[in-house]
Amino acid sequence: MISKLVGLVPRDWLVYMYKHMPFNGLKNWLVYRAQNKFLVAVLGIFTNEAGQILLLKHVYRKEPWGIPGGWMELEKPELALERELKEETGLSVKSIELVKAIYGTKPNRVDLIFRGRVIEGDFKKSSEISEIMYCTMDDWPDGLPMEQRKLIKEFGSVAP
């Protein structure tokens, strides 16, 4: 509602009001309320020592196999991905580099794609992940979405 009202105010006026408004807390509250919202997802292409790609079997998806990922909380993106993987599988990973950001819809979101290495740990089943597998390029299991195959091909073979 506030974002629609703010949209009616000329931008020059908004800048002037923001610059001269004395209450930072109120100013920040208004700016936050006036902006559109979206989620941030973190996804990772992780390899083991042999260079194989880690895939997870998600219990709630129509195409169950996929790269690790999850929603960010109020944390650094790399730490969010490392946390998600530890919670869902028991594996420890190290996110090495951000390789791509993608805007998506349904829901509106930004997907941050990282690559990195599996460091250690033994797989533990969770309510979200029923099994894991390591595979080589193009040796995919049935049920791996085409979009993720493309991401793996683009960034998986040159993982640091």
Side-chain angles (χ1 to χ4, degrees), residues 85-102:
L85 205 54
K86 187 72 167 176
E87 288 174 0
E88 294 175 356
T89 67
L91 299 175
S92 294
V93 297
K94 181 67 179 161
S95 299
I96 296 173
E97 88 181 292
L98 175 67
V99 293
K100 190 168 192 170
I102 304 168

Side-chain angles (χ1 to χ4, degrees), residues 10-61:
R11 184 167 288 294
D12 292 345
W13 291 9
L14 290 171
V15 171
Y16 179 84
M17 288 187 301
Y18 185 84
K19 184 177 178 183
H20 296 290
M21 185 181 283
F23 305 108
N24 280 334
L26 176 61
K27 191 168 28 176
N28 291 338
W29 183 85
L30 286 170
V31 168
Y32 178 79
R33 295 290 182 271
Q35 299 301 311
N36 293 315
K37 306 294 183 278
F38 56 90
L39 296 167
V40 179
V42 287
L43 301 157
I45 301 168
F46 293 103
T47 55
N48 61 11
E49 289 180 4
Q52 298 169 308
I53 309 293
L54 172 65
L55 297 178
L56 310 180
K57 188 171 187 183
H58 300 82
V59 300
Y60 54 86
R61 292 184 182 169

Side-chain angles (χ1 to χ4, degrees), residues 58-75:
H58 300 82
V59 300
Y60 54 86
R61 292 184 182 169
K62 193 176 205 177
E63 293 179 287
W65 287 100
I67 60 177
W71 298 114
M72 266 184 63
E73 295 175 8
L74 298 176
E75 60 200 329

